[in-house]
Amino acid sequence: MASDDHPQLGFLMEMGFERTKAEKALRVTGSTSVEAAMEWILAHPDDDGSSSAEGDVRGDSETVRLNLTPEELEEQAKRLEERRVKRRAEIAEQERKAEIEREKNRRLSGKEIQDARDKAHQAEMVRYAAERKKEKDDDKKARQRILDVIAEDRLKKEAEKNAEKDKAAGLPTSDSLSRTTVSAAFAAPSGSGNHTQTRIQIRMMDGTPLTQTFGVNEPLGSVRLYAQLNRKDGESSPFGLMTTFPRRDFTDEDMLAPLSALGLVPSATLIAKRQ
């Protein structure tokens, strides 16, 4: 007997009676009414509904006789109503607690999801910062390699030029001596004091300023190369460098000289000019 198909059974079970006892009460009373079934249950408190003796089910001409007075029936009905109200309150409280628990689980699940998203975002930011740092380091190393190659090439050309001059003048030549002389010129700071770096501003031909810090022993050609690589005036034509106070136009030979030897320490402003 399913409680969904038999509302009287569901009502009795809602009041807290065991299913087997409620089913037996309905069988015995012929399912005539819930009140009759409750009267039978109250009259048989020791019957758990598991026994199925003959005469349990009422026939068409058989009636169930209950030895309860009207006062006892009224008292029992009052107790049943109190029990029903209490049972419904218990069910409502269980539902309330279950809803609270579901809400806690929902919020906990939402917090875990948000925490996971935050951690993923933080990991992505750390990865992006590491990639950007690596790109900057790689760019810096690449620029330094270019500067080293240019400086080495200029040193080589200067040494070859000096060797040719010495040869034309009938003087003994030595490639190693020429290199040593040029290298010594680069390494000998003049008037740089204790400074190891200098701040150079290059004003391009369109007026755009470029500012960068260089080592005092770096050649002036490094400054021009930096300006060529970072110019934003939209041009690609070669240019020279000069100062205005005092006015001085730097030559190709000056491009090989260290910044300290050219008096561009601890800071200086250079003007780009067309060649």
Side-chain angles (χ1 to χ4, degrees):
M1 182 185 299
S3 59
D4 294 339
D5 298 334
H6 204 297
Q8 294 175 338
L9 175 60
F11 183 81
L12 291 172
M13 292 177 62
E14 181 181 330
M15 295 183 67
F17 296 116
E18 296 293 334
R19 184 185 185 91
T20 55
K21 192 167 187 175
E23 288 178 343
K24 184 173 183 179
L26 290 171
R27 286 199 308 271
V28 171
T29 59
S31 300
T32 55
S33 66
V34 174
E35 290 77 7
M38 288 192 296
E39 290 179 5
W40 186 92
I41 292 173
L42 295 174
H44 300 80
D46 297 330
D47 193 333
D48 58 3
S50 60
S51 62
S52 181
E54 293 183 0
D56 279 353
V57 181
R58 183 179 67 179
D60 294 338
S61 60
E62 183 182 6
T63 59
V64 177
R65 302 186 63 84
L66 302 176
N67 298 321
L68 294 176
T69 65
E71 292 78 8
E72 290 174 335
L73 288 175
E74 183 179 355
E75 179 65 23
Q76 294 294 346
K78 183 178 179 182
R79 288 169 53 190
L80 286 173
E81 179 62 18
E82 292 175 351
R83 187 171 183 177
R84 185 183 66 81
V85 172
K86 181 180 178 182
R87 178 60 178 167
R88 287 192 174 181
E90 291 175 351
I91 293 174
E93 180 65 15
Q94 291 174 358
E95 285 295 328
R96 188 185 68 83
K97 291 182 178 179
E99 180 61 26
I100 292 176
E101 191 65 25
R102 286 193 294 268
E103 179 64 16
K104 287 182 179 179
N105 293 335
R106 186 185 66 79
R107 292 185 179 182
L108 180 61
S109 177
K111 185 177 183 302
E112 290 175 350
I113 293 174
Q114 186 61 40
D115 290 344
R117 288 177 178 173
D118 292 342
K119 289 181 180 179
H121 178 69
Q122 292 176 359
E124 180 67 17
M125 294 299 294
V126 171
R127 184 187 65 81
Y128 177 76
E131 290 180 355
R132 291 291 299 159
K133 183 177 183 302
K134 184 178 183 301
E135 289 177 0
K136 290 182 179 180
D137 292 343
D138 291 343
D139 290 344
K140 184 177 180 180
K141 291 177 181 179
R143 188 185 70 177
Q144 187 59 47
R145 285 195 297 268
I146 294 174
L147 294 176
D148 292 343
V149 170
I150 292 175
E152 183 179 356
D153 183 66
R154 291 184 182 275
L155 286 174
K156 183 178 179 181
K157 289 182 179 179
E158 183 68 18
E160 291 175 351
K161 184 187 295 185
N162 291 336
E164 291 177 357
K165 289 181 180 179
D166 291 343
K167 184 177 181 180
L171 299 175
T173 61
S174 172
D175 183 67
S176 60
L177 178 60
S178 299
R179 290 181 181 274
T180 301
T181 302
V182 175
S183 299
F186 271 78
S190 176
S192 61
N194 296 325
H195 297 289
T196 59
Q197 292 184 327
T198 180
R199 187 172 182 271
I200 303 295
Q201 183 183 90
I202 311 102
R203 188 167 296 278
M204 302 305 293
M205 290 177 287
D206 65 344
T208 303
L210 297 175
T211 304
Q212 181 63 19
T213 300
F214 298 88
V216 297
N217 292 326
E218 288 190 61
L220 181 59
S222 299
V223 179
R224 184 166 65 175
L225 177 62
Y226 170 81
Q228 289 174 342
L229 295 176
N230 294 275
R231 65 191 304 180
K232 299 178 181 179
D233 54 5
E235 298 187 17
S236 59
S237 58
F239 59 87
L241 296 173
M242 61 175 287
T243 57
T244 54
F245 300 102
R247 180 179 177 82
R248 178 177 179 180
D249 293 328
F250 294 105
T251 64
D252 290 340
E253 287 75 16
D254 291 331
M255 295 299 163
L256 299 173
L259 299 175
S260 58
L262 297 174
L264 302 176
V265 177
S267 64
T269 298
L270 301 176
I271 309 298
K273 64 174 186 174
R274 297 185 184 277
Q275 288 185 331

